[in-house]
Amino acid sequence: MEEQVELVGRAFVDHYYLLFDTNRLSLASLYQPTSLLTFEGQKIQGGDDIALKFNQLPFDHCKHFITTIDCQPSSFTGGILVFVSGNLQLAGEEHQLKFSQMFHLIPTLEGSFFVQNDIFRLNYG
Amino acid sequence: MEEQVELVGRAFVDHYYLLFDTNRLSLASLYQPTSLLTFEGQKIQGGDDIALKFNQLPFDHCKHFITTIDCQPSSFTGGILVFVSGNLQLAGEEHQLKFSQMFHLIPTLEGSFFVQNDIFRLNYG
């Protein structure tokens, strides 16, 4: 059970940031209309608006480098909490930005998962 | 509803770090036997063991300075996700440490909340 949580969480993280770094609009498929994003304090609901937000970020290309991934089962049946820290490299920028992000993954009827909660923060310092 | 989530989340953060900085063993009261902590990658279950872990940290006094607090309702009825970033000052250390931490708060029958999930990471850099 605990191993499964780790496997799903880590596979999600790989998939999520690959999509983010190569095709941000496709991230809409990972969310549902109930999904909540808080991005640097800004609250957005629903997969379409969330993907739109990502697509409107003021940089064309980026690459996420993951430092840590922590996973726990949530109280919601089959739910998984994923906590990520890492660095974000923006095209044309010399220095990477540190970030932390958490996800709450909820199982779908089809046997997959969607992101119900997503909170992202840059770690300035 | 959304305002209530913010109020509860922020009040919890104030309370939690005050206890942490003044009486770490009393943090046990905020957890239950099902509670999960992942502290710098180490997994611990149950309020007693979690408070023991905090009490055994290799510093006597510390003070948390909170930079950001983001709150969202979780899928669990009445549950609240709280995402915190800030700085940690250890007694006798010149430099503060940056940290990120997330909590999943679950309502109790008594009308309060307990911490079901807690993930803590220092942000080195």
Side-chain angles (χ1 to χ4, degrees), chain A:
Chain A
M1 168 60 182
E2 190 177 312
E3 199 172 297
Q4 185 67 13
V5 166
E6 288 286 335
L7 283 174
V8 171
R10 289 173 177 274
F12 167 79
V13 167
D14 285 348
H15 183 57
Y16 180 89
Y17 292 109
L18 179 65
L19 289 187
F20 201 112
D21 294 348
T22 56
N23 183 6
R24 273 180 244 167
L25 273 178
S26 67
L27 288 169
S29 64
L30 300 181
Y31 298 86
Q32 291 200 357
T34 59
S35 301
L36 299 171
L37 167 70
T38 306
F39 186 87
E40 287 286 279
Q42 183 188 358
K43 297 185 177 190
I44 298 161
Q45 180 162 1
D48 292 343
D49 284 351
I50 289 171
L52 192 63
K53 169 68 186 177
F54 290 143
N55 209 50
Q56 290 174 339
L57 291 174
F59 48 84
D60 281 340
H61 298 289
C62 65
K63 183 157 174 53
H64 290 78
F65 297 91
I66 305 307
T67 306
T68 63
I69 305 173
D70 295 305
C71 306
Q72 289 183 355
S74 79
S75 308
F76 192 89
T77 307
I80 298 176
L81 290 165
V82 184
F83 188 88
V84 179
S85 71
N87 293 286
L88 178 57
Q89 178 75 58
L90 304 184
E93 296 287 333
E94 185 182 357
H95 297 292
Q96 296 184 351
L97 303 168
K98 300 185 78 65
F99 74 92
S100 300
Q101 190 163 12
M102 62 144 291
F103 303 95
H104 190 191
L105 309 182
I106 302 287
T108 63
L109 292 175
E110 296 78 24
S112 184
F113 288 84
F114 74 94
V115 180
Q116 172 57 28
N117 302 92
D118 179 350
I119 302 179
F120 175 93
R121 279 283 178 185
L122 290 172
N123 303 131
Y124 296 105

Side-chain angles (χ1 to χ4, degrees), chain B residues 19-20 22-29 47-48 51-52 54-55:
Chain B
L19 290 186
F20 200 112
T22 57
N23 182 6
R24 273 179 245 165
L25 274 178
S26 67
L27 288 168
S29 64
D48 293 343
L52 193 62
F54 290 142
N55 209 50

